[in-house]
Amino acid sequence: MKNKNTYYITTPIYYPSANFHIGHCYTTIIADAIARYKRLEGYDVCFQTGTDEHGQKIENKAKESGVSPKEYVDEIVQNAINLWDSLNISYDKFLRTTDDIHVKTVQKIFEKLYEKGDIYKGEYKGLYCTPCESFWTASQLVEGKCPDCGRDVHEVKEEAYFLKLSKYQDRLVKYIEEHPGFIQPESRKNEMINNFIQPGLEDLCVSRTSFSWGIPVTFDQNHVVYVWLDALSNYISSLGYMSEDDSEFQKYWPANLHLVGKEIIRFHTIVWPIMLMALDLPLPQQVFGHGWLVINGAKISKSLGNYRDPREYICDYGVDAVRYFVLREVSFGNDGTFSEEALVARTNADLANNLGNLVNRTISMGNKYFNGSVKNLKITEEIDADFIHIINDLVNVVREKMNILHVSEAIAAIFEVLRRANKYIDETTPWILAKDDHLSDRLQTVLYNLLESIRVCACLLAPFMPDTSIEILKQLNTQHQELEYLDDHCYELSQPTPIFQRIDVK
Ligand code: ME8
């Protein structure tokens, strides 16, 4: 039985690529923020990502490059690892579908489902979109093209194995209806039920014979396992399901959250739960389908080529500005626009002004007026109570928002407290208090309150902007990680250095 204190979160496993774009980073940055937040709350978190390395698309690309598929993926998989490192992604597991443990597990899953009669042999005749590795029926096409990516599909006819989706249709609908949190946001749940499940599920073709870059079916070597069956299994193969040591599987499964882009929610809320039902395994608690990052109204995508390398943004603006922008700008679940102008505007207004100035001004005043030693001398005024109440309430607001994955609103709440702190400076006018020796204790109390607001905000910012959080706490020179206003400790401040520079728009 899974312990309530564990939290298993996954991103999709990515098709290895030399050209990742900021849209790809989006899923991973959000997952990272959630994973870090859960760790902050004391959960034993397992955060998994990885690469989806089989399939016709990869085989074709390797051929074009004149190397074997394995050589091809080995070379480019490092791109994902480097990119996630430069974005400070704190994954615990990185699964490659070419890993031995994964290959063996997928083979065992296929055998088990075949022995159970949930996979059977037949013939596949139909349409296939290679870029999406998706099967379609003629009626599902949009103007004769793939409904997901709008590209050409081609006819395939081959002997194949099928997974009995139809057998589980009623059970799936019942499960979805009885577990309202399973598919989120709500709109995606309705879309899945009305557009895909209720019209009737056709059995899914789960093997291919027309190419060889895949996991071989052990008892029928002409066949390789369909790439989506292979890929979806990553969520349990990495935990050692059906292996000699399945202790992590026992500990972390079922997943708390599969975070996926909206175009692949269909696989995660129909095929994956049915695979799990057929394997007699519990279903994940939630599949959340997020929206896309768009540029000028169009999805950022390889085929459109409408993007810069995300490493250039990190280089130009800093990793935390990129993380902040992506997390803050898009209201989770909806599409959101990515633009450098908006990134610069947010960096200047929120990071350089609201946050950076506050930290800099407050620490400078602490150094100037009290040589960096600031204590709570408790010369309070009415205005303090409200300010302290807001600081103390922040952890609750952030928890409430994060529990429903409203990441942007959680961050907004932190920046609201920072804004309030700036207002508290205007209201208490420390520079005027500093002119009168009799008011020195009041001045120190004011600065103490400000430092506490900054400290609590910095601790709560850690999941979203980990480097910034560390840097602020370093300048405050404090080890205190409590998420509430502390009454009584002594600051020995370091010298401030600006944490975010204003970006000049040329
Ligand atoms: O789908 N905005 O991999 P992938 C937001 N291998 N998210 C975007 C995006 C955009 N413009 N473009 C891509 C696959 N993504 C499969 C998954 S899981 C068992 C197998 C997101 O590399 C996309 O929605 O095409 C998905 O969540 C992730 O990037 C990986 O996409």
Side-chain angles (χ1 to χ4, degrees):
M1 181 67 183
K2 179 175 154 109
N3 182 325
K4 283 213 168 74
N5 194 39
T6 59
Y7 191 86
Y8 182 34
I9 174 172
T10 66
T11 71
I13 47 172
Y14 288 72
Y15 294 123
S17 166
N19 305 304
F20 284 116
H21 52 69
I22 192 78
H24 290 118
C25 303
Y26 181 62
T27 315
T28 320
I29 294 173
I30 299 170
D32 184 64
I34 298 169
R36 285 176 185 270
Y37 178 73
K38 289 289 172 186
R39 290 192 198 108
L40 190 77
E41 281 210 314
Y43 283 86
D44 173 346
V45 172
C46 180
F47 168 24
Q48 171 166 307
T49 188
T51 39
D52 185 358
E53 304 185 9
H54 292 122
Q56 194 165 3
K57 185 167 56 176
I58 302 278
E59 187 176 278
N60 293 348
K61 283 198 182 138
K63 231 178 246 160
E64 282 164 26
S65 317
V67 292
S68 73
K70 184 66 170 64
E71 284 168 333
Y72 176 77
V73 290
D74 279 350
E75 181 156 339
I76 60 173
V77 81
Q78 195 57 39
N79 276 317
I81 295 174
N82 292 346
L83 182 58
W84 301 156
D85 284 352
S86 58
L87 281 167
N88 238 333
I89 305 299
S90 62
Y91 57 83
D92 300 292
K93 284 179 178 289
F94 189 98
L95 181 116
R96 298 182 58 183
T97 54
T98 48
D99 287 343
D100 206 36
I101 177 148
H102 175 78
V103 171
K104 290 212 171 90
T105 309
V106 169
Q107 289 179 325
K108 285 184 201 157
I109 290 175
F110 203 95
E111 282 166 12
K112 184 167 173 179
L113 297 182
Y114 182 69
E115 279 157 19
K116 219 185 140 191
D118 282 339
I119 283 182
Y120 63 93
K121 200 169 186 173
E123 188 187 51
Y124 181 77
K125 263 198 290 197
L127 302 160
Y128 196 74
C129 171
T130 304
C132 291
E133 303 279 15
S134 289
F135 295 103
W136 298 107
T137 58
S139 64
Q140 289 172 319
L141 301 185
V142 176
E143 293 170 2
K145 310 268 186 194
C146 169
D148 274 353
C149 72
R151 281 175 279 198
D152 288 337
V153 294
H154 62 278
E155 274 194 34
V156 290
K157 180 177 168 200
E158 54 190 60
E159 179 190 86
Y161 287 90
F162 289 83
L163 175 66
K164 282 187 184 162
L165 296 189
S166 49
K167 173 177 160 188
Y168 291 93
Q169 173 166 336
D170 293 345
R171 225 175 112 184
L172 180 63
V173 171
K174 187 161 177 275
Y175 186 88
I176 295 173
E177 275 164 3
E178 284 173 1
H179 297 82
F182 176 58
I183 305 180
Q184 284 293 317
E186 191 75 16
S187 56
R188 311 249 192 261
K189 170 175 137 190
N190 301 336
E191 183 191 346
M192 286 304 118
I193 295 193
N194 300 337
N195 299 1
F196 291 100
I197 309 177
Q198 292 297 18
L201 290 178
E202 287 183 27
D203 291 350
L204 178 73
C205 177
V206 288
S207 78
R208 305 292 311 274
T209 53
S210 56
F211 64 93
S212 59
W213 180 237
I215 299 180
V217 174
T218 44
F219 51 88
D220 198 346
Q221 294 275 333
N222 284 338
H223 292 255
V224 293
V225 176
Y226 172 47
V227 65
W228 271 99
L229 198 91
D230 165 352
L232 289 162
S233 306
N234 91 86
Y235 301 128
I236 51 178
S237 69
S238 66
L239 298 178
Y241 172 64
M242 283 179 116
S243 75
E244 268 167 34
D245 177 5
D246 72 349
S247 53
E248 285 191 320
F249 177 74
Q250 298 300 341
K251 181 174 174 190
Y252 289 114
W253 192 259
N256 298 75
L257 178 63
H258 290 315
L259 194 61
V260 303
K262 62 181 178 181
E263 81 283 18
I264 56 173
I265 199 162
R266 192 166 59 91
F267 293 100
H268 285 82
T269 58
I270 299 175
V271 181
W272 180 226
I274 288 181
M275 282 171 68
L276 291 166
M277 284 176 180
L279 292 167
D280 289 320
L281 293 177
L283 268 49
Q285 239 170 51
Q286 185 165 98
V287 178
F288 193 105
H290 65 70
W292 289 332
L293 277 187
V294 298
I295 287 183
N296 298 329
K299 184 186 179 208
I300 308 172
S301 82
K302 280 178 222 165
S303 51
L304 293 172
N306 55 351
Y307 59 87
R308 278 173 79 196
D309 186 326
R311 273 164 290 213
E312 293 177 18
Y313 302 130
I314 298 171
C315 200
D316 288 355
Y317 307 114
V319 54
D320 278 355
V322 173
R323 287 177 65 110
Y324 174 76
F325 178 77
V326 164
L327 293 168
R328 177 70 185 85
E329 185 77 6
V330 186
S331 138
F332 202 34
N334 301 331
D335 288 350
T337 298
F338 182 86
S339 83
E340 274 184 81
E341 293 77 44
L343 192 156
V344 167
R346 277 221 180 267
T347 303
N348 285 345
D350 299 356
L351 302 183
N353 259 355
N354 194 359
L355 171 64
N357 266 349
L358 173 71
V359 174
N360 207 274
R361 276 163 94 188
T362 307
I363 298 180
S364 299
M365 288 191 285
N367 279 313
K368 181 169 166 197
Y369 301 136
F370 300 105
N371 279 328
S373 297
V374 180
K375 281 204 284 267
N376 188 5
L377 295 182
K378 299 184 185 168
I379 306 299
T380 56
E381 288 185 9
E382 221 176 286
I383 178 183
D384 298 1
D386 175 55
F387 186 41
I388 292 169
H389 173 76
I390 287 170
I391 299 170
N392 277 329
D393 198 37
L394 182 60
V395 64
N396 302 323
V397 179
V398 171
R399 185 182 308 116
E400 207 176 282
K401 298 295 182 192
M402 290 303 281
N403 279 346
I404 49 170
L405 304 182
H406 287 192
V407 181
S408 171
E409 290 172 23
I411 302 179
I414 301 173
F415 277 77
E416 184 51 34
V417 173
L418 296 169
R419 199 191 58 77
R420 184 69 188 77
N422 278 309
K423 190 162 161 241
Y424 182 78
I425 296 184
D426 295 340
E427 288 164 347
T428 53
T429 56
W431 54 94
I432 294 177
L433 297 177
K435 287 188 181 142
D436 186 340
D437 281 349
H438 292 105
L439 297 176
S440 169
D441 288 357
R442 170 65 188 150
L443 174 61
Q444 197 166 160
T445 307
V446 164
L447 290 182
Y448 181 85
N449 290 343
L450 283 166
L451 291 167
E452 273 301 285
S453 71
I454 294 170
R455 186 187 63 74
V456 170
C457 287
C459 291
L460 283 167
L461 277 176
F464 314 106
M465 301 198 286
D467 285 352
T468 302
S469 169
I470 292 171
E471 178 57 28
I472 296 173
L473 294 174
K474 200 169 111 200
Q475 296 194 17
L476 292 179
N477 195 19
T478 180
Q479 307 286 331
H480 282 286
Q481 302 277 329
E482 291 85 345
L483 302 176
E484 72 211 338
Y485 177 92
L486 296 177
D487 227 7
D488 235 353
H489 69 102
C490 179
Y491 280 101
E492 293 295 339
L493 301 168
S494 308
Q495 281 306 315
T497 42
I499 41 178
F500 287 99
Q501 304 281 1
R502 270 191 73 81
I503 301 161
D504 282 333
V505 189
K506 299 223 171 64

